[in-house]
Amino acid sequence: NAGVTQTPKFQVLKTGQSMTLQCAQDMNHEYMSWYRQDPGMGLRLIHYSVGAGITDQGEVPNGYNVSRSTTEDFPLRLLSAAPSQTSVYFCASSYSRGRTEAFFGQGTRLTVV
Amino acid sequence: AQKVTQAQTEISVVEKEDVTLDCVYETRDTTYYLFWYKQPPSGELVFLIRRNSFDEQNEISGRYSWNFQKSTSSFNFTITASQVVDSAVYFCALIQGPGNTGKLIFGQGTTLQVKP
């Protein structure tokens, strides 16, 4: 049981490049989310999903796309990287019923130069 | 609007001191869920505790205790006899409701430094 797995752990991009951050969970959680962490601002929600085929925007969705074709996977795509997207990204998953706490991946530290 | 405020940006204590981390939340929902997470220097987020709005019982887990007060919309976290290993960033969070949506609203975080 690996929990929530994020890849890569570190990434450096040039402005304008695109990339996909991978997230997979093996706990059969219905809910999955992406957050970004910036100094002094806590974590902010980018996109979330309540199940396969269903996604919606969070607080800071601009510049990011998501899709959820399976229960297990929830990739985050950066369409055209900008220096403002330099951040630490966390993927999380949780149950829709019963236990409500979110389980987080290890995080991806992204630098856009 | 829902909001979580952790007014203490940084706290520094000497080992064995007690320390309380404050968390104040805003919500109009009658059913809501609150959490504390720990982020050690290694960077991962570690779940510490969950509390729902209809359970006001305070909780103690070893050196950790939590005081949930609906009357003041606070969910404070106390570490008794702090240790160097407690040094971390601590986040208070609220599920963006109503109910369980799986979407978390985080406070800004409190950085705790415990000096030997």
Side-chain angles (χ1 to χ4, degrees), chain B residues 22-56:
Chain B
D22 297 332
C23 173
V24 174
Y25 61 92
E26 297 175 27
T27 182
R28 295 181 180 178
D29 297 330
T30 55
T31 300
Y32 53 90
Y33 304 89
L34 294 160
F35 307 87
W36 276 95
Y37 283 88
K38 175 182 180 180
Q39 186 176 45
S42 52
E44 72 272 23
L45 285 158
V46 179
F47 165 73
L48 295 178
I49 191 171
R50 169 188 66 246
R51 177 62 69 227
N52 56 46
S53 55
F54 38 90
D55 180 4
E56 290 195 67

Side-chain angles (χ1 to χ4, degrees), chain B residues 46-75:
Chain B
V46 179
F47 165 73
L48 295 178
I49 191 171
R50 169 188 66 246
R51 177 62 69 227
N52 56 46
S53 55
F54 38 90
D55 180 4
E56 290 195 67
Q57 185 175 6
N58 291 325
E59 184 157 338
I60 298 174
S61 177
R63 296 184 296 106
Y64 295 172
S65 62
W66 290 269
N67 184 358
F68 176 39
Q69 291 195 343
K70 290 177 70 172
S71 60
T72 56
S73 297
S74 64
F75 186 37

Side-chain angles (χ1 to χ4, degrees), chain A residues 31 35 37 48 100-102, chain B residues 37 39 47 50 100 103-104:
Chain A
Y31 293 161
Y35 298 85
Q37 181 180 10
Y48 68 96
T100 54
E101 68 270 24
Chain B
Y37 283 88
Q39 186 176 45
F47 165 73
R50 169 188 66 246
N100 178 22
K103 299 183 287 182
L104 289 168

Side-chain angles (χ1 to χ4, degrees), chain A residues 71-92:
Chain A
T71 299
E72 294 78 20
D73 299 300
F74 191 44
L76 178 71
R77 299 181 188 84
L78 280 70
L79 308 174
S80 177
S84 61
Q85 293 179 303
T86 293
S87 187
V88 180
Y89 292 84
F90 286 97
C91 178

Side-chain angles (χ1 to χ4, degrees), chain B residues 3 17 19-20 22 36-37 51 56 62 71 82 94 97 107 112:
Chain B
K3 186 178 180 181
E17 285 186 26
V19 58
T20 295
D22 297 332
W36 276 95
Y37 283 88
R51 177 62 69 227
E56 290 195 67
S71 60
S82 59
L94 167 73
L112 174 65

Side-chain angles (χ1 to χ4, degrees), chain A residues 49-95:
Chain A
S49 170
V50 298
I54 306 171
T55 64
D56 206 345
Q57 297 180 350
E59 180 185 356
V60 288
N62 292 341
Y64 308 95
N65 270 356
V66 292
S67 61
R68 192 164 176 204
S69 56
T70 67
T71 299
E72 294 78 20
D73 299 300
F74 191 44
L76 178 71
R77 299 181 188 84
L78 280 70
L79 308 174
S80 177
S84 61
Q85 293 179 303
T86 293
S87 187
V88 180
Y89 292 84
F90 286 97
C91 178
S93 70
S94 61
Y95 288 112

